[in-house]
Amino acid sequence: MSPILTGRVLYQCAKASIFTISVAIFANDNLFEIVSISGKSMTPALSPDHNTSGTRDWIVLRKMQPTNNIKRGDIVSYPSPHNPDKIAVKRVIGLDGDTVLLDQRRRSAMPPEKQRGWDTWGGKCVVPYGHLWVEGDHWSGSLDSNHYGPIPKSLIDGRALGLVWPWSRFGQTPWTQYRSKTRVIEGIAVCPKEWEL
Amino acid sequence: MLRRGLGRLPGFRYASSILDQPEVRFVYHASKYLLLVTLGYHITVEYFVDVAPAWGISMLPTMASYGENVVISKWFRRGRGLRVGDLVSFRHPINMRESAVKRILGMPGDFVAVGGARGNGLGGEGAGGDMLQVPAGHCWIVGDNLTYSRDSRIYGALPLGLVTGKVLGVEAVIDDEVD
């Protein structure tokens, strides 16, 4: 029997790894999660070099009550409405009650059948109660509310706090300087009568 | 155990320390077990099975209006393995802090008829007499008590990302049957 790999040592290692994994899962679900941005929908704020050198940015998300005090311009993560196994990271453009005037420039980047769907909005959308309008910063490569409409606030998983990788930009929030070109007429959300408790 | 006493490795000599006090050892062991129970509870309830109370009239006669718990399997969260006819629990699309239990009537690609009770057009298309196709990644959920159920006929197709699990069974906690 090898002097190092006894059953007792293996047992202790298994216990320690199960404990560490459980703590990681708990922290990941309830406290903070670190995700990598692997698309070009949020360039240039996040993953600006993804198409050229393949380097991705990693951000830390706050998982506790992510839609508490949410503001226009925050970055949120949510399971994509068309494919719930994928996590989408986009910027909040409109809160509930706002009227979003859709950005015409984004229409030209869509394939024709999606353009027809886009036209059914009639150029603007009033965000219903309990929903948000999210958009990716990059006008041509983003699957966002322009495709699937406003998303429910309860779908939101996490809110971005800062970058963790690349190390040179650790802790920064490069997305706060960006002002979206989509115009929003601010409004007040009114809870419809049938949902009042 | 490899260690004798808290924080000690075999083969070393230690002076007696604060870690030998019975009160400290009790707190250490109690917090360790509390932490393990919390972690175990979280992982079980998030990823395996959860039991929660359910109330409301929208699922009569399948579920009573109060006094019942639902047993939810979390394996089916986010729509994995769900089929038409399953009872699912989901985070409410309008009231963020609530969850609800309803039945799936259409999975992505299915056609559902929207007739009967009219909603107020809360983002739901075709309220009244239309047929619509459930989009990709969404499901159409309806309560069993059609007259008194606020469901997809009012707020439209539900994103599968909101689905937290499938109901395996219902457990009656309060039994008001008159014998």
Side-chain angles (χ1 to χ4, degrees), chain A residues 128-139:
Chain A
Y129 176 79
H131 289 63
L132 299 170
W133 185 273
V134 291
E135 276 183 4
D137 288 350
H138 197 70
W139 60 276

Side-chain angles (χ1 to χ4, degrees), chain A residues 146-159:
Chain A
N146 289 297
H147 290 81
Y148 38 73
I151 59 170
K153 270 196 201 168
S154 37
L155 195 63
I156 304 278
D157 247 347
R159 182 160 95 209

Side-chain angles (χ1 to χ4, degrees), chain A residues 29 67 81 154 194-195 197, chain B residues 42 47 91-92 96 122 137 150:
Chain A
D29 288 344
T67 48
S154 37
E194 54 227 344
W195 299 112
L197 291 170
Chain B
H42 169 77
Y47 297 99
R91 295 201 298 270
H92 204 278
M96 268 177 24
L122 257 188
R150 299 171 298 181

Side-chain angles (χ1 to χ4, degrees), chain B residues 92-122:
Chain B
H92 204 278
I94 315 271
N95 292 328
M96 268 177 24
R97 316 213 187 291
E98 289 187 3
S99 291
V101 171
K102 301 267 187 288
R103 193 180 296 272
I104 292 185
L105 242 55
M107 288 301 279
D110 293 348
F111 289 90
V112 289
V114 189
R118 290 187 65 99
N120 253 0
L122 257 188

Side-chain angles (χ1 to χ4, degrees), chain A residues 71-131:
Chain A
K71 292 189 273 302
R72 301 175 193 89
D74 283 345
I75 306 267
V76 291
S77 82
Y78 54 93
S80 183
H82 285 166
N83 183 4
D85 292 325
K86 246 175 39 143
I87 303 288
V89 175
K90 299 280 183 286
R91 183 187 296 272
V92 172
I93 299 290
L95 304 176
D96 30 5
D98 293 351
T99 308
V100 179
L101 304 172
L102 305 193
D103 190 358
Q104 282 289 339
R105 222 174 23 144
R106 292 173 182 256
R107 180 184 186 276
S108 54
M110 295 184 186
E113 65 272 8
K114 294 231 166 87
Q115 284 182 355
R116 280 198 294 276
W118 199 87
D119 289 339
T120 59
W121 289 114
K124 65 177 165 94
C125 170
V126 179
V127 181
Y129 176 79
H131 289 63

Side-chain angles (χ1 to χ4, degrees), chain B residues 46-152:
Chain B
E46 270 302 305
Y47 297 99
F48 295 102
V49 178
D50 191 10
V51 178
W55 62 90
I57 58 169
S58 63
M59 288 301 291
L60 288 169
T62 312
M63 288 167 49
S65 59
Y66 71 95
E68 284 191 340
N69 287 347
V70 286
V71 179
I72 302 168
S73 163
K74 298 290 184 145
W75 169 259
F76 297 90
R77 64 186 187 280
R78 297 203 174 156
R80 168 164 56 175
L82 285 177
R83 297 188 310 193
V84 169
D86 287 344
L87 281 178
V88 290
S89 91
F90 55 94
R91 295 201 298 270
H92 204 278
I94 315 271
N95 292 328
M96 268 177 24
R97 316 213 187 291
E98 289 187 3
S99 291
V101 171
K102 301 267 187 288
R103 193 180 296 272
I104 292 185
L105 242 55
M107 288 301 279
D110 293 348
F111 289 90
V112 289
V114 189
R118 290 187 65 99
N120 253 0
L122 257 188
E125 314 102 78
D130 294 330
M131 179 166 278
L132 80 99
Q133 188 177 26
V134 180
H138 289 66
C139 59
W140 193 263
I141 42 133
V142 173
D144 285 352
N145 190 357
L146 286 175
T147 341
Y148 294 107
S149 168
R150 299 171 298 181
D151 45 41
S152 280

